[in-house]
């Protein structure tokens, strides 16, 4: 990897972090848990990396590790979004 | 533009859409009215990102990937639909760990691919690989230890051993040394395996000295790490989508960590390294004399006090979660409401074992949202409160935090239940709270103890109140 690629990535990383801080600031305590588990589901984005590394045609250690990563990250993504939805659904019920 | 250019461009544009959906989704997760929609938008963003990635030219064996996604989806869905709300801290903990593990595996797999294809290993890629392995590994084992503590598989007290700090620094130094060696000679596999092992050990060492009551901080911090791990994996495979999403999660985790630390008036460093609530910390603070005696009442007297009060403030704590008493509490509140008693709930920011723990449990029990009050809103109201009912909370209501400079919890913002006319404390015994200090609230004249498991005691209170 070139250093310029790394620097471009760092730009994206730092600016995204600032966006994150601005967007999430001032969350009421009631939503702390859903925010955490929703964000947690997003961290399962590693599934993309896992798909890319395990995409090769032939079996190799890389593909096997990538496949395990796909399973783990998918559990994180699907479980995370569903459990957050379940929680938020309970919150909604009583506001009506 | 021909097809071979069109596809990569399309993938990048889809990533841009997905990243925007994440940002809008997180924004909406921050407000009660739009939170559910926000979560769905974020999930949609994830779907867009995954589908776009499947179109990448690098991806050839769809059936393997489909099988992996299928298995993960089934396990994730079952876990999400079956988990009890009281077990949410563990659930979030284990999910954090899975995300971290996946990121570390991506870094390891990519390293292996570069090594076995004979591609040039630049210093930049080696650094990103080391970071990916480190953050992912620490997130994995740190989360597993947090899970074990929350699940009761490990003691909730800080685990300490002699020379712990020097030992930790030694391990860290070993990691840095191996990293340098690895950067110079990347094909020495034992060093790479050593780096993986040390990362895993660091996660354990980092989490074991942190006690159960500090778990809200640890869970938020690990949440942040799981995002940073994904971002590191993004650097490894050179994918902006991972970097953006990882950075967003990293930021949200840090914000929550910060809020939790403020709720205890302690610095992050103090939470991580002070082994708070261990015996030495307790010894320092328990010097204050505990004059007076403890008054114990039974459920019948308790029910009388509650039933004939004009206003009652319920203060739930970890004890309510352990006893799964949230439904009984709601039942008690509606019985009191029937008698014309005004009932409110006071929620301390760090009550329970994760951020917002009490809010989730009370929501599950259908407690109306407007009855829940944050610390700053409820504290001025305690003086007009007839009875404060404390259910399995301890340190967050200890008045010593206000005046006893020797107490380890001195300076922590508390719910000022001692300003209410009476305080009824439901507790299993006279054991100390997480901080290890005795609670002077229990020895005040206006305080009454109702001993027993939260669930049993509240059930008794409900049946007594029904007879009023």
């Amino acid at each position: 990897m070139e250093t310029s690629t790394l620097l471009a990535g760092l730009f994206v990383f730092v600016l995204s972090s600032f966006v994150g801080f601005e967007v999430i600031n001032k969350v009421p305590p009631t939503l702390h848990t859903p925010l955490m588990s929703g964000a947690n589901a997003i961290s399962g984005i590693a599934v993309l990396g896992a798909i890319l590394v395990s995409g090769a045609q032939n079996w190799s250690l890389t593909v096997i590790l990538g496949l395990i990563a796909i399973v783990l990250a998918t559990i994180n993504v699907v479980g995370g979004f569903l459990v957050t939805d379940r929680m938020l659904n309970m919150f909604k019920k009583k506001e009506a | 533009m021909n097809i071979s250019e069109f596809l990569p461009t399309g993938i990048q544009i889809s990533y841009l859409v997905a990243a925007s959906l994440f940002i809008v989704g997180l924004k909406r997760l921050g407000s009660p009215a739009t939170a559910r929609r926000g979560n769905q938008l974020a999930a949609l963003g994830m779907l867009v990102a995954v589908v776009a990635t499947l179109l990448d030219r690098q991806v050839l064996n769809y059936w393997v990937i489909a099988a992996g996604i299928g298995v993960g989806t089934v396990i994730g869905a079952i876990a999400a639909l079956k988990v009890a709300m009281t077990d949410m801290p563990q659930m979030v903990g284990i999910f954090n760990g899975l995300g971290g593990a996946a990121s570390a595996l991506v870094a390891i797999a990519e390293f292996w691919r570069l090594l076995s294809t004979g591609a040039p290993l630049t210093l930049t890629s080696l650094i990103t690989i080391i970071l990916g392995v480190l953050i992912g590994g620490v997130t994995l084992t740190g989360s597993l230890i947090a899970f074990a503590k929350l699940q009761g598989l490990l003691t909730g007290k800080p685990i300490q051993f002699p020379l712990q700090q020097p030992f930790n620094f030694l391990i860290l130094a070993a990691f840095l040394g191996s990293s340098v060696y690895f950067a110079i000679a990347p094909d020495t596999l034992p060093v790479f395996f050593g780096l993986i092992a040390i990362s895993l050990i660091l996660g354990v060492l980092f989490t074991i000295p942190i006690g159960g009551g500090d778990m809200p901080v640890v869970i938020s911090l690990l949440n942040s790490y799981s995002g940073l791990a994904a971002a590191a994996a993004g650097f490894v495979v050179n994918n902006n989508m991972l970097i953006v999403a990882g950075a967003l999660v990293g930021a949200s985790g840090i914000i929550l960590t910060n809020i939790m630390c403020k709720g205890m008036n302690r610095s992050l460093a103090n939470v991580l390294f002070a082994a708070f609530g261990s015996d030495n910390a307790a010894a320092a603070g328990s010097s204050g004399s505990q004059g007076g005696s403890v008054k114990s009442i039974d459920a019948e007297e308790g029910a009388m006090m509650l039933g004939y009060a004009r206003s009652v403030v319920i203060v739930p704590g970890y004890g309510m979660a352990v006893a799964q008493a949230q439904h009984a509490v709601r039942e008690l509140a509606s019985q009191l409401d029937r008698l014309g008693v005004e009932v409110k709930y006071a929620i301390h920011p760090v009550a329970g074992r994760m951020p917002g723990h009490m809010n989730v449990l009370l929501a599950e029990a259908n407690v109306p949202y407007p009855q829940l009050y944050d610390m700053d809103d409820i504290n001025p109201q305690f003086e007009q409160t007839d009875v404060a009912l404390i259910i399995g909370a301890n340190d967050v209501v200890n008045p010593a935090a206000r005046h006893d400079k020797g107490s380890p919890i001195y300076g922590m913002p508390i719910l000022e239940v001692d300003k209410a006319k009476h305080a009824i404390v439901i507790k299993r015994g006279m054991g100390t709270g997480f901080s290890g200090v005795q609670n002077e609230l229990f020895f005040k004249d206006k305080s009454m103890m109702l001993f027993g498991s939260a669930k049993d005691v509240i059930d008794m209170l409900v049946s007594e109140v029904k007879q009023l």
Side-chain angles (χ1 to χ4, degrees), chain B residues 51-71:
Chain B
V51 171
T53 307
L54 288 173
L55 298 175
D56 193 288
R57 246 174 315 173
Q58 217 175 320
V59 180
L60 299 168
N61 56 351
Y62 285 98
W63 69 268
V64 172
I65 292 169
I69 293 180
V71 171

Side-chain angles (χ1 to χ4, degrees), chain A residues 1 33 40 55 85-86 91 94, chain B residues 60 80 83 95-96 122 355 367:
Chain A
M1 195 209 298
T33 303
N40 178 241
D85 192 66
R86 210 181 124 199
F91 284 10
K94 335 146 278 123
Chain B
L60 299 168
V83 64
F95 279 168
N96 280 335
T122 61
V367 171

Side-chain angles (χ1 to χ4, degrees), chain B residues 209-285:
Chain B
I210 301 174
D214 285 342
M215 277 301 153
V217 177
V218 178
I219 295 275
S220 326
L221 193 63
L222 287 168
N223 192 221
S224 178
Y225 284 0
S226 74
L228 295 179
F235 280 104
V236 172
V237 297
N238 193 14
N239 183 313
N240 275 341
M241 187 70 233
L242 265 73
I243 299 179
V244 172
L248 291 173
V249 178
S252 87
I254 288 175
I255 290 175
L256 282 178
T257 308
N258 206 4
I259 296 175
M260 293 304 112
C261 285
K262 270 196 194 137
M264 300 192 290
N265 191 35
R266 287 164 57 202
S267 70
L268 182 58
N270 180 275
V271 173
L272 296 183
F273 303 118
F276 196 76
S278 63
D279 294 333
N280 0 353

Side-chain angles (χ1 to χ4, degrees), chain A residues 1 3 5-6 9-10 12-13 16-17 19-21 23-25 27-33 35-57 59 61-63 65 67-91 93-94, chain B residues 27 29-32 35-36 39-40 42-43 46 53 56 58 60-61 64 68-69 72-73 75-77 80-81 83 85 88 95-96 98-99 101-103 105-106 108-110 112-113 122 124-125 219 223 226 231 235 238-239 241-245 247-249 251-252 255-256 354-357 359-360 363-364 366-367 369 374:
Chain A
M1 195 209 298
T3 313
T5 324
L6 179 73
L10 275 178
V12 173
F13 177 75
S16 307
S17 303
V19 171
F21 282 122
V23 162
I24 298 153
N25 224 340
V27 174
T30 307
L31 289 172
H32 282 170
T33 303
L35 173 70
M36 190 170 62
S37 72
N40 178 241
I42 293 179
S43 76
I45 191 77
V47 72
L48 265 57
I51 291 174
L52 290 176
V53 293
S54 56
Q57 190 90 66
W59 285 98
L61 183 61
T62 299
V63 174
L65 292 178
L67 184 60
I68 300 173
I70 290 182
V71 174
L72 299 183
T74 309
I75 296 175
N76 189 185
V77 168
V78 174
F81 281 125
L82 279 180
V83 86
T84 309
D85 192 66
R86 210 181 124 199
M87 260 187 282
L88 291 170
N89 192 29
M90 295 179 334
F91 284 10
K93 217 162 34 185
K94 335 146 278 123
Chain B
K27 173 91 188 153
L29 259 175
S31 147
R36 199 169 179 209
N39 182 54
Q40 289 162 353
M46 185 63 80
T53 307
D56 193 288
Q58 217 175 320
L60 299 168
N61 56 351
V64 172
I69 293 180
T73 303
I75 300 176
L81 299 176
V83 64
M85 281 301 141
M88 273 312 292
F95 279 168
N96 280 335
L98 293 179
S103 302
L105 284 172
V106 169
I108 296 170
E110 178 68 7
W112 198 260
R113 189 181 71 80
T122 61
T124 343
S125 24
I219 295 275
N223 192 221
S226 74
F235 280 104
N238 193 14
N239 183 313
M241 187 70 233
L242 265 73
I243 299 179
V244 172
L248 291 173
V249 178
S252 87
I255 290 175
L256 282 178
M354 70 174 169
H357 196 178
N359 303 75
V360 172
E364 189 201 9
N366 284 326
V367 171
Y369 178 62
D374 298 343

Side-chain angles (χ1 to χ4, degrees), chain B residues 52-326:
Chain B
T53 307
L54 288 173
L55 298 175
D56 193 288
R57 246 174 315 173
Q58 217 175 320
V59 180
L60 299 168
N61 56 351
Y62 285 98
W63 69 268
V64 172
I65 292 169
I69 293 180
V71 171
T73 303
V74 171
I75 300 176
I78 292 175
L81 299 176
K82 292 248 153 148
V83 64
M85 281 301 141
T86 38
D87 293 336
M88 273 312 292
Q90 290 96 306
M91 180 84 165
V92 175
I94 205 90
F95 279 168
N96 280 335
L98 293 179
S103 302
L105 284 172
V106 169
I108 296 170
E110 178 68 7
F111 169 69
W112 198 260
R113 189 181 71 80
L114 292 174
L115 197 67
S116 54
T117 56
L121 289 157
T122 61
L123 183 63
T124 343
S125 24
L126 290 175
I127 292 174
T128 58
I129 288 167
I130 292 172
L131 278 177
V133 169
L134 173 68
I135 307 175
V138 167
T139 311
L140 169 63
T141 49
S143 301
L144 290 179
I145 297 288
F147 171 82
K149 287 195 172 209
L150 291 165
Q151 188 75 17
L153 303 173
L154 272 179
T155 169
K157 284 201 184 289
I159 299 172
Q160 288 176 291
F161 51 85
L163 296 177
Q164 191 159 12
Q165 298 290 11
F167 182 73
N168 291 353
F169 280 112
L170 197 70
I171 296 278
L172 198 60
F175 187 86
L176 292 175
S178 319
S179 300
V180 172
Y181 191 101
F182 175 68
I184 296 167
D187 46 357
T188 21
L189 283 182
V191 177
F192 185 62
F193 294 140
L195 284 175
I196 299 175
I198 296 177
S199 305
L200 297 175
I201 295 171
L202 276 172
V204 174
L205 291 174
F206 150 73
T207 325
I208 53 169
I210 301 174
D214 285 342
M215 277 301 153
V217 177
V218 178
I219 295 275
S220 326
L221 193 63
L222 287 168
N223 192 221
S224 178
Y225 284 0
S226 74
L228 295 179
F235 280 104
V236 172
V237 297
N238 193 14
N239 183 313
N240 275 341
M241 187 70 233
L242 265 73
I243 299 179
V244 172
L248 291 173
V249 178
S252 87
I254 288 175
I255 290 175
L256 282 178
T257 308
N258 206 4
I259 296 175
M260 293 304 112
C261 285
K262 270 196 194 137
M264 300 192 290
N265 191 35
R266 287 164 57 202
S267 70
L268 182 58
N270 180 275
V271 173
L272 296 183
F273 303 118
F276 196 76
S278 63
D279 294 333
N280 0 353
S286 57
S287 53
S289 63
Q290 297 298 345
S293 57
V294 170
K295 246 183 311 204
S296 167
I297 56 170
D298 62 18
E300 194 184 342
E301 291 169 80
M304 300 271 261
M305 286 176 64
L306 291 168
Y308 293 116
R310 260 175 307 139
S311 57
V312 170
V313 173
I314 297 176
V315 181
Y318 184 54
M320 181 185 84
V322 174
Q324 308 226 4
Q326 66 270 29

